[in-house]
Amino acid sequence: MRFNVLGPLEVLSDGIDVPIRGLQQRALLGVLLLRANSVVSINEIVAALWGDDRPSTARKMVQNSVAGLRRAFQAVGEPAGGKATLNTTVPGYMLRIEPEQLDLTEFHELVTLGRARLAAGDWTQASELLRRALGLWRGPVLADVSDAGLTWPELAALQGIRLAVHEDCIQAELAMGRDRELIGELESLLEAEPTRERLVAQLMVVLYNCGRQSEALDRYRRTRDLLADRFGLEPGRDLRRLQRAILSHDPALALRLTAAPGGAADFPSPTGPGPGPGPTTPQPPRPRPAAAAPAPARADDRAGTGGVPAAEHAFRAPWERVERRPASVVMVRARWTADGGALAPERVDHAIKELTADIRRETAPFGGHVRRAFGSVWLVVFGVPRAHEDDAERALRAALALRRHFEAPGPASATAATAARPVAHLVVGTGEVVVTYDDSAPDPVEVTGQVLDACHHLLLQVPRGELWAADATVEAGGAGLGFAPVPGVPGVHRPAPFRPDGRGPSGHPAEPPFLERTHELNLLHGAYRDTVRRQLPHLVSVLGEPGIGKTRLIGEFAASLRDGAGPPTPRVLHAGTPAFDTHTPYEPLAGVLRAYTGIRAGAPAAVVLPALTGVVRGLFPHADTGPIVTALAACLGLPAPAASAQGPDGAVPREEVLGTLRQFLEEAAAERPLVVVLDDLHRAADFVRSFVEDLTARLGPVALLLIAGARSELLHTRPSWGCAKRRSVLLHVAPLSAAATATVVGAAAGRRHPTPADDLRAALADGNPLFAQAYARVADVGADPAAAHPPAVLAVAAAQLDGLDRTARSVLRDAAVVGGTLWRGAVAAVSRRDPEEVGRCLELLESRELLRRVRRSGVPGDVEYVFRYAVSRDVALAQLPGRVLVERHLRAADWAALLDVPRPGLLAFHYDRAIALADADGTPVEAMERRAWEALVGASARAAAAGDDALAVSCLDHALDRCPPGEPERVWLVTHHRRILDSLGTRARRRPAVTG
C-alpha cells in the first residue's frame, strides 16, 4: 500500500486507488500520515479537524472515522510488509506503516542526499536529486483537505520546506551556469512569495549576470517597497549588501553566489569577500585574568564561515574554481591584405572564422586550447585545463606548425572566399596564469596572467611573418628545435635559418650512473633465455613512476643483448608512443614496423610502399602480398589503395590491420629471435594496449620477448593488466636508496663524494634518478626547498596532479594546506568533507605514490600520512589562490586547536600562514592575530589541566610571540607564564637528586 500526501491524498494498492470515504476520513488519515508511526492523541486530532469550533460529538465522529479507515485497509488484503495498521494506543491512535510506503519519506530522503551533494560541490548530482524530490509534489500538501478549509501547522511547515528545497535546487543550477534558464522559474516563484529574500537575491544575481543590471536593481526596489508597505521593514542586511555589490560592479558577482540550504545567501560585500571574520562573526572570548584560560571556540563557530556552522555551509568557496598554474601560450595576430584596398566587414568575418578553424586544426595534435582573445588575435594555451610535462615544447612545435601553415602557398594559407592572404605574427611565452572555470563546462572561461601581457607587448614588435619565443619557453622545451637569440631584443629567440625539422628529440640530460638495478636486469635476462630455450613468447611489463629509470633499464638490457647474447643474435626493435603529434593511432605498433623495415617516420607513400613490399615478400614468399602490404600501410598511417580497400569508407578494418601485424611479428620471430620494446605504452590508444596485452597469448611457438614500458598509471586505467595471462610478468622499478640517490646527485654535479647539500637534494629526489639529476643543477637548496624545484620536476608533479579526478585533486590540495605531515581528520576539517570520503581519497593518493602512510600516528586515533615528494605539496599549494589558502589555514588551525594533546607549533604555523597571506592581500589581520594567541592560550590551559606544564609553557611562549605589546591582556599572559615557570622550577628543586 502506498500513501501520497504531497498533493491530493492518494491511497494506492498495486497501483489501484483505494477509496477513502468522506472528507472527515481523508482529513483524519492526513493527520495520521503526517505523524506516521507516532501516537496522536484524540485531542490533537479534534483540534486539527475542527479547531475551536469542535462539535460535542467530535470524539464519536473520530472513532467512526477510525473504524471506516480500518475497514478500508482490511479490504485491500495486502501482505504484511505492505499493509497499514491503525492501532488504538492511549491516549489516541497510531498509524503504523513502513517508511517507504509514504511519499513524504522519499521526499525527505532525496532532499537529504541532494543537500549532501550540494555541500560537496557536486552541482549536477545535487540538482538531479532535488529535482526528483520536487517532482514528487502534485500540488499543495493534502490539497483536497486544505481546499476544504482545514488547516494545521504541519501543512504550512511542509510548504515552507518545499520552497526552501526549490531555492537549494535553483542554487545548484545557478552554480552550473544555467542563469538564463532559471529567470522564468524564479519570477513565477516570486509571484507566490514576493517577499522571500533568498529568491529575490537569486533573481537579482541572475539578472545581473545576464547583463540586466537595471532590472536587478528594480527588483530590489520593488521588494523594499513591498516590505515597507506590508511589515514596515527594510530588506535584510544580505540583500542590502547585494544591492551595493551590483551598484559597484563587484567582480565577485561573476563568481557563483553561495548559500546555505534553507538559509540566507552569503553575498559578497562591496569591498570584496574577505577570508577573515566578517562583521557579524562572533569573536572568541577574551582570556580572563584567572588561573585557567577559556577553552577555544568550537571550530564551526570560527571566522571564515560567516558565523554559520560548518554543517549548514552547503557550498564550497567560489574561488575553488579558480586555479593558479604554469602554462605556455602561443599568441597569433593576423592581418589581411587585398589588392582592392580595405576588406568589407563580411569578408573579414568570413576570413577570421576560416582562420580560427585552421588554427584549431594545426594546434590540435599538440593539445592546444584555442581562444579568441580579441579582434584578429588568437590565444592558444598549453597546460590548461590539464598540465603536461612538455607544455613548453608543445607550444613551440605548435607555433612552428602555424608558421609553416602561413608560409605555405596556395589555398592552404589563403582564404578563397576573400582572395586575401593573411599575414601572421606569432609569439610564444611561458609563465604563471590564473584560470577561472565555470562548473557547467570543463574548459576554462577565463585565462589571465602577466605572461599574456608580455606576449601581447611582443606581438606588437615582431616583424611580419616572424615567430618569436621567450627565453623561458626555449629553455624549457626548445632543445633540438633550432632557436637562436634575436639580435638587439633581449630575452627573445626565433627559429634559426637552418633549423631541424621540428620532430627530433627534445634533449635529455646525460645518463646518470646505473645503480641498484641488478635484480631487474637478471629478471629480464631470465625471461629472454626462457623465451629462446622454450620457443615461447613472453610479455614483461616494466612499470614505474615518471623518471624512475624504466627506459634506462630497458636500454641497458637491450645493449647487453647486442653485446653478449650469443648466437643467434636477437633482433631488437624499439618504439615509443609520442606524447603528441602522432602519425597514426596505431603508435607504437607502427614504430615497431618502421624499425623493422627501416622506413623513416613521415616518409611519403612512394618511398614506403616499395620498401614495405620488399620486406613482406621476404617474410611471406608464398603468400599474396597485396592485402598484407595494404594492411601494414594502413598501420603506418598511409591511405589504402582504392582497389584494395575493404571498409565502406575506403579504410582497412582495424581487426584486419591488427591481425596482419600479429602475423608479421610471428613470421619475423620465427626467422630470428625478436625482442620488441614498446615504451610509454600508457600513452597508446586503448585498442593498442589490448592488442599488446593479448599478443603473446595468441602467438605460436616463436622466440619473441615483448617488453612493455609504462608508467604506473597504466594500472589505474587497466587494473587487470597482465592478470591471469600466460607467460606474462609484471616488473615494478623501485626507487633508489638514499645513498645511491646522493651518488647520482654528486655525479650529475661533477663530484665524486656527496656533500651535505647533496644529501638534501637526494632527500628531495627521494630515489628518483630524473629528479636527482635536476636537483643537482640547482645552485641553492637552502631553507626554502620550494624555491629549489627545477622546471622539469615541477612539470612532472603538475602533470601527476592533473591526472587525478577532481575530488582527489581537491583533497590533495587540502592535504597540502595541512602540511608535509598530515592527518585524515585535519584534511576532513580543512575540506569540510565526510571523513570516510577523505579516507578513501587519501588511500587513492597513497596508491598513486603521492603520499606515504606513517605506521604510528602522532595524533592518537587518527591516520597520519606524509608527502612523498615536497614538490607535489608545493605544486598543489601553488594552484590555490591566496584567499582560499587563508580560509583553509584557518580551518586547519581550528582543527589543531581542538586536539586533546595540543600541538602549539602546528597551531601557530597555520595562524601565521593565514595572517601572512591575508596581509599580503591587503586584508586587515588584527582579528586573526587575536584569534591566534587566544587559541594558544586555550591550548595552554588544556595542557595545564592535563598536568603537562612543559607543554603549557610552550603554548604560552607561542602566544606571547603573537600577542602585541599594546594588548591589555599581555600583562596577564606574562604573569601567568611566569607562574607556570616558577611552578616547574619548584618541582625541579623538590625532585631528589639521582646518585650513581
Side-chain angles (χ1 to χ4, degrees), residues 862-892:
D862 209 337
V863 183
E864 182 175 328
Y865 294 86
V866 295
F867 274 88
R868 182 182 170 191
Y869 294 116
V871 66
S872 300
R873 176 178 180 249
D874 294 332
V875 168
L877 280 177
Q879 291 181 352
L880 291 174
R883 292 180 175 179
V884 176
L885 282 173
V886 171
E887 179 189 15
R888 299 294 197 268
H889 278 296
L890 289 175
R891 293 179 187 174

Side-chain angles (χ1 to χ4, degrees), residues 528 538-540 554 557 561 570-575 588-589 591-593 596 665 668-669 673-679 692 695 699 703-709:
Y528 172 74
H538 281 72
L539 168 65
V540 179
I554 297 172
F557 167 68
L561 285 182
R571 184 193 299 268
V572 180
L573 305 179
H574 190 285
L589 302 177
V592 172
L593 190 57
Y596 188 92
L665 292 174
L674 189 62
V675 177
V676 177
V677 177
L678 302 178
D679 210 356
V692 172
L695 178 61
L699 288 178
L704 186 147
L705 176 62
L706 180 60
I707 301 177

Side-chain angles (χ1 to χ4, degrees), residues 146-172:
S146 58
D147 288 346
L150 298 179
T151 61
W152 51 85
E154 288 85 349
L155 300 183
L158 283 173
Q159 287 297 130
I161 292 173
R162 178 189 184 185
L163 190 55
V165 172
H166 218 133
E167 291 170 338
D168 294 339
C169 183
I170 289 173
Q171 201 64 54

Side-chain angles (χ1 to χ4, degrees), residues 34 64-65 128 190 235 266 270 277 281 319 345 378 471 475 507 510 595 776 827 884 916 921 964 984:
L34 292 179
N64 292 338
S65 297
E128 180 183 342
L190 280 169
D266 180 17
T281 304
W319 303 290
W378 287 261
D471 279 352
E475 181 182 353
V827 178
V884 176
D921 196 39
L984 285 175

